[in-house]
Amino acid sequence: MVNNSEKDSLRCWFMIVRNRCLCLLCVLVCSLPIFGQIPDKSLEGLIAQYKYKEGIRLASDKLASVRAADSLQKLYYNTRLSSMYSRLGDVQQAYKLAIQSRTLYQGVNDSILIAEARLVDAIANVNMGSFSYALGELELVKKYTDAHPHCHIERMTSHAYSLIFMQTGKLPEALQEIKEAIHKDTSCHIPSYLALDLMNLSLVHLMSGDVEESQKMIELASNKAIQLGDSIVLGGCLMMRAHFATLAGDTKTWKQWVMSTIDLGKKVGHPALFIGPYSQLMERALQQKQFAEAISYGSELEDLLKMSPLPIFGYLLDSLMYEGYKGLNNNEKALAYFESFYQNKSKIFNESYKNQILDLQTNFALKEKTLMLESSRKDLENAKKRQQFQFIIICLLISLILTLYVVRWLKRHNARRLYQKEKLMETILQEEKHMLARVHSPQSQFAENHSLEGTSWSGDLTDERDHPSQEDRKNLYQEILRLMEEEKVYLNP
């Protein structure tokens, strides 16, 4: 038999589900598509129509046909699958796909798709309660948007931050992030998200104790959701209205809103819209000791979960069914549900441990790959630096060789010119010396005088200019010396 402490434990689990139901709905809706650079139009169309099961089948088929080396396509379909599983409430599968996506970042050049994948990974970790890792991913996304502004991603980042802050009790920070998301909705013209952000704003006001402001915001959110045809957000608004009726003590109105939410959930086929309401109906029936009614609601929810198997809700349903059959003194079925509860609980916890180990292994592999890439990058940088250094050395050697050659050529050229000038000067000086020797020679003077005395003057035959005097010759010689010494005409070729 089950003691009181175990029953209190079961009730505690149930209270956790009830109190976080609306937050969970917000988390599931958060993974709306951003439309990366390689959208599959047929898949995005199914997601836009909330046909998640068809979308999962299509994305799985496409992923199976993608080449192993095509990291871009694999990351795209992995991200979409994780998003759809998250919205269907299968947080375990969404988490596994998010972990697989991390190994593909290195082979993808599409920064927008990587940022989107990190956002989906953050949401998967929020669903699993891993807020610290989710915050780390959001910080990376925020660094990207700081350098490359992108309205949709910035809005989604603010929304994801608000979910973490709401679930950790940091209501002022959550309020600030939601207001930032609403600002992006209006400034970037993204009306499709406005209903969701208004619903989250209403939830924060409700958690802060401002019921009146919360009701105003939920009214705006409901109208906007109807206008946009957003059934999931509308279902969340209906659940909020049911909660307001509970606070007012209006049981009849509360049940009407709850049943409306269930009908909407069945219509759109979204588990989050009927799991929460059915859980509330079962809780209310158990509180009023209407065990048969609680079991009836539980059976309906059990049938719905068969079409949408969600282990995390299945074992919680088992705990409620145990309470119902225990109240009817049907110990056999009560124990069966109790055993199923512990089996499913152990399975989920074991799966959680496996996921944590897988997460550690993935992070280790990523870090190892990052270190290898960093080492390769440094090796390439060092090789490039060595090549640059070698190129500079070669250029300097070539320049030195050319400089030496030019200097040597100039020296030889100048020496040749100087030698030619010196030879010319020597020749000129030799000629001048011979000329002066003839001028000052006694024999030449005597021959000249004798020639003048023995020859009769004939002005008709010669001219004085044809026979320069000794004085003229001296003057000519002095002029030649002056030109050579002062003006150095011999330097001019």
Side-chain angles (χ1 to χ4, degrees):
M1 301 300 291
V2 182
N3 55 32
N4 291 333
S5 61
E6 291 176 334
K7 293 177 67 177
D8 292 339
S9 176
L10 294 176
R11 290 184 182 277
C12 181
W13 279 107
F14 179 77
M15 294 297 292
I16 291 173
V17 175
R18 188 195 68 172
N19 293 336
R20 291 194 175 183
C21 186
L22 292 177
C23 289
L24 176 60
L25 179 65
C26 297
V27 169
L28 299 180
V29 177
C30 179
S31 303
L32 292 172
I34 302 175
F35 299 103
Q37 295 183 8
I38 53 165
D40 185 324
K41 292 184 179 179
S42 56
L43 177 59
E44 299 294 350
L46 292 173
I47 294 174
Q49 297 172 16
Y50 309 107
K51 296 180 180 179
Y52 303 127
K53 294 180 181 178
E54 294 89 336
I56 288 173
R57 285 195 292 269
L58 176 61
S60 299
D61 293 341
K62 293 289 184 71
L63 185 60
S65 63
V66 173
R67 293 182 295 106
D70 194 347
S71 299
L72 185 68
Q73 291 287 340
K74 288 178 69 175
L75 180 60
Y76 171 78
Y77 286 114
N78 258 12
T79 300
R80 288 297 179 268
L81 280 170
S82 177
S83 174
M84 288 185 287
Y85 276 118
S86 180
R87 275 172 273 172
L88 285 175
D90 194 346
V91 296
Q92 298 286 340
Q93 187 63 23
Y95 184 68
K96 287 181 181 179
L97 289 165
I99 291 177
Q100 293 175 12
S101 296
R102 298 174 198 172
T103 61
L104 302 172
Y105 296 162
Q106 300 293 344
V108 176
N109 295 324
D110 189 338
S111 301
I112 296 178
L113 182 58
I114 292 177
E116 179 184 352
R118 290 190 183 278
L119 276 171
V120 173
D121 191 4
I123 296 301
N125 278 273
V126 170
N127 288 339
M128 297 294 293
S130 302
F131 299 136
S132 59
Y133 184 86
L135 286 171
E137 291 295 283
L138 292 177
E139 284 299 316
L140 293 175
V141 175
K142 193 173 186 302
K143 287 181 181 179
Y144 169 76
T145 54
D146 289 342
H148 308 86
H150 191 288
C151 281
H152 283 76
I153 296 179
E154 289 174 0
R155 181 262 159 201
M156 291 288 289
T157 303
S158 295
H159 184 72
Y161 271 124
S162 69
L163 293 176
I164 296 174
F165 291 144
M166 278 192 287
Q167 296 192 57
T168 54
K170 299 179 180 180
L171 300 182
E173 292 86 347
L175 184 61
Q176 180 180 353
E177 292 295 339
I178 290 175
K179 288 182 177 180
E180 179 63 25
I182 292 176
H183 172 70
K184 291 293 181 184
D185 292 336
T186 53
S187 62
C188 299
H189 306 290
I190 317 174
S192 57
Y193 297 126
L194 186 56
L196 173 61
D197 292 330
L198 288 172
M199 184 181 73
N200 286 336
L201 183 58
S202 172
L203 183 59
V204 172
H205 283 306
L206 179 62
M207 295 172 70
S208 302
D210 192 348
V211 178
E212 184 178 355
E213 189 65 23
S214 179
Q215 288 178 323
K216 290 180 181 178
M217 292 298 104
I218 208 64
E219 185 71 26
L220 293 174
S222 298
N223 295 334
K224 195 65 180 178
I226 293 172
Q227 178 185 348
L228 296 172
D230 193 339
S231 300
I232 297 179
V233 174
L234 180 59
C237 294
L238 294 176
M239 291 176 67
M240 290 282 289
R241 289 176 182 272
H243 187 70
F244 293 143
T246 301
L247 294 177
D250 190 347
T251 305
K252 183 178 179 181
T253 305
W254 165 80
K255 192 169 184 178
Q256 288 176 351
W257 288 123
V258 169
M259 295 307 297
S260 298
T261 307
I262 291 174
D263 292 339
L264 181 61
K266 292 179 179 179
K267 181 179 178 182
V268 300
H270 198 292
L273 295 181
F274 52 73
I275 291 174
Y278 268 118
S279 300
Q280 291 187 34
L281 289 172
M282 292 182 72
E283 180 191 16
R284 180 61 62 88
L286 290 173
Q287 288 175 349
Q288 296 176 353
K289 299 189 182 301
Q290 297 175 356
F291 302 113
E293 183 179 355
I295 292 173
S296 175
Y297 290 136
S299 298
E300 291 184 34
L301 181 55
E302 204 168 28
D303 292 337
L304 291 171
L305 287 177
K306 288 179 181 178
M307 296 182 293
S308 303
L310 302 173
I312 194 170
F313 293 112
Y315 89 93
L316 293 173
L317 175 61
D318 289 339
S319 69
L320 296 175
M321 294 296 282
Y322 161 77
E323 289 283 347
Y325 281 109
K326 181 63 178 175
L328 292 177
N329 294 322
N330 190 339
N331 294 329
E332 183 179 355
K333 285 197 172 183
L335 287 174
Y337 276 105
F338 190 77
E339 290 176 2
S340 177
F341 165 78
Y342 271 106
Q343 288 175 0
N344 289 330
K345 181 179 178 181
S346 300
K347 182 179 178 181
I348 290 172
F349 286 169
N350 289 336
E351 190 70 22
S352 177
Y353 292 140
K354 289 180 182 178
N355 288 335
Q356 290 178 10
I357 293 174
L358 180 61
D359 191 8
L360 291 174
Q361 292 175 341
T362 304
N363 289 335
F364 176 78
L366 286 174
K367 288 180 180 179
E368 187 178 23
K369 185 180 290 186
T370 302
L371 289 175
M372 290 177 61
L373 291 173
E374 184 67 18
S375 177
S376 300
R377 186 182 64 80
K378 288 183 178 179
D379 290 341
L380 289 173
E381 289 181 354
N382 292 333
K384 186 177 180 180
K385 289 180 180 179
R386 286 195 297 269
Q387 291 177 353
Q388 291 175 348
F389 179 75
Q390 293 172 356
F391 178 75
I392 292 173
I393 294 297
I394 292 172
C395 290
L396 289 175
L397 289 175
I398 293 174
S399 300
L400 180 61
I401 293 172
L402 290 175
T403 302
L404 292 174
Y405 176 79
V406 171
V407 170
R408 186 178 178 184
W409 181 84
L410 289 174
K411 285 183 176 180
R412 294 180 63 183
H413 180 70
N414 292 334
R416 191 182 300 112
R417 291 185 62 186
L418 182 61
Y419 175 76
Q420 291 175 352
K421 290 177 182 179
E422 289 177 350
K423 291 294 289 182
L424 178 61
M425 184 63 183
E426 185 178 353
T427 302
I428 294 172
L429 290 176
Q430 289 293 335
E431 292 178 353
E432 289 177 352
K433 287 180 180 179
H434 289 307
M435 184 182 296
L436 289 175
R438 287 195 301 272
V439 170
H440 295 285
S441 173
Q443 291 82 357
S444 63
Q445 290 180 2
F446 174 78
E448 182 179 357
N449 293 333
H450 180 75
S451 175
L452 290 173
E453 290 174 357
T455 305
S456 60
W457 175 258
S458 177
D460 297 332
L461 296 175
T462 60
D463 194 331
E464 187 178 356
R465 289 173 297 180
D466 295 331
H467 301 279
S469 65
Q470 185 67 24
E471 185 67 25
D472 291 336
R473 290 179 180 178
K474 290 182 179 180
N475 291 337
L476 178 61
Y477 173 70
Q478 293 298 328
E479 180 64 21
I480 290 173
L481 288 179
R482 186 187 67 79
L483 290 174
M484 291 296 178
E485 293 177 357
E486 296 180 5
E487 299 186 13
K488 297 182 180 182
V489 296
Y490 59 85
L491 294 177
N492 187 349

